[in-house]
Amino acid sequence: MPSTTTPEIQTGQPAGQPATKAEARQRKAIARSVLMCKPEHFTVVYRINPWMDPALPTDTSLAVRQWQTLYDVYISLGFDVKLIDPIEGLPDMVYAANGGMVIDGIAYGASFTHPERQPEGPAYMKWFGDNGFTVAVPEEINEGEGDFLLVGDTILAGTGFRSDSRSHQELGRVYNREVITLTLINPSFYHLDTALAVLDSTPGQEHIAYLPSAFDAPSLAILQERYPDAIIVNETDAAILGLNSYSDGLNVVIASRAKDFERQLIEHGYNPIGVDLSELLLGGGGVKCCTLELRR
Ligand code: ARG
């Protein structure tokens, strides 16, 4: 494990760089608690999304080194990073976001769509139970925070490729919160967290970024109505999973190649931090996929 470095000083805009957008506000970092899984067994041996090609070689040690840079960034931001042991034969376990959703100390477990990933559900639920979380065993097919994103007091819930919309009702019962169903239509953006990023989840100042073309028309209308000041990410940045990012309210960890998104984040008063997870992109995942937020 890397040594813990001093958390960066977490202020809003640096002096001399005022936010250029009128709606930019003083951003505030809140150090997060997250669960990650080291990609010791990462490889691509099956194809369950268009990014995956088992014929292409993967470099597990490079995947581990790239993942380590993400881990180190989180530590430098003062995050509490927990680790679940990787299991041999479950190459996608590195995408911890799919392991469940955790709010108020309650972990709603995952039940995966594809047989290749199904054993991950119980493995993550065991970790939650062993680490003091109350486990809600799912009845419906769902892929955790891959498709469920908490924005303020509302859960945005994706469907279309992976999580069954019946899981959205189940989620609403578990957490007693508003759940909004959003339908994804482009197989390259098969999880909600590949098409939409939560930048600020503070109730009253919710802020998101998304790719409009990833959603069907009714879902897009909901997003436009509820989040009129959202950052609209372009196809180029979305195509390298630039939206698959993770924010603490000020610092937004993004794919280093997502340059226009980076520019827009700065304009809106955020501090983007680029990381290169090119190897994990071969499995169809990026920053957020490797990150499961633990909300006590
Ligand atoms: N290969 C994995 C799958 O297709 C990638 C999961 C990415 N995770 C995410 N939260 N989007 O299931």
Side-chain angles (χ1 to χ4, degrees), residues 48-49 52 92 95 97-98 117 143 146 162 190-191 193-194 244 283-285 289:
I48 57 173
N49 70 53
M52 303 173 85
D92 277 341
Y95 305 113
N98 300 128
R117 295 197 69 184
E143 299 198 352
R162 300 292 180 90
Y190 55 94
H191 276 142
D193 72 356
T194 64
N244 196 250
C289 298

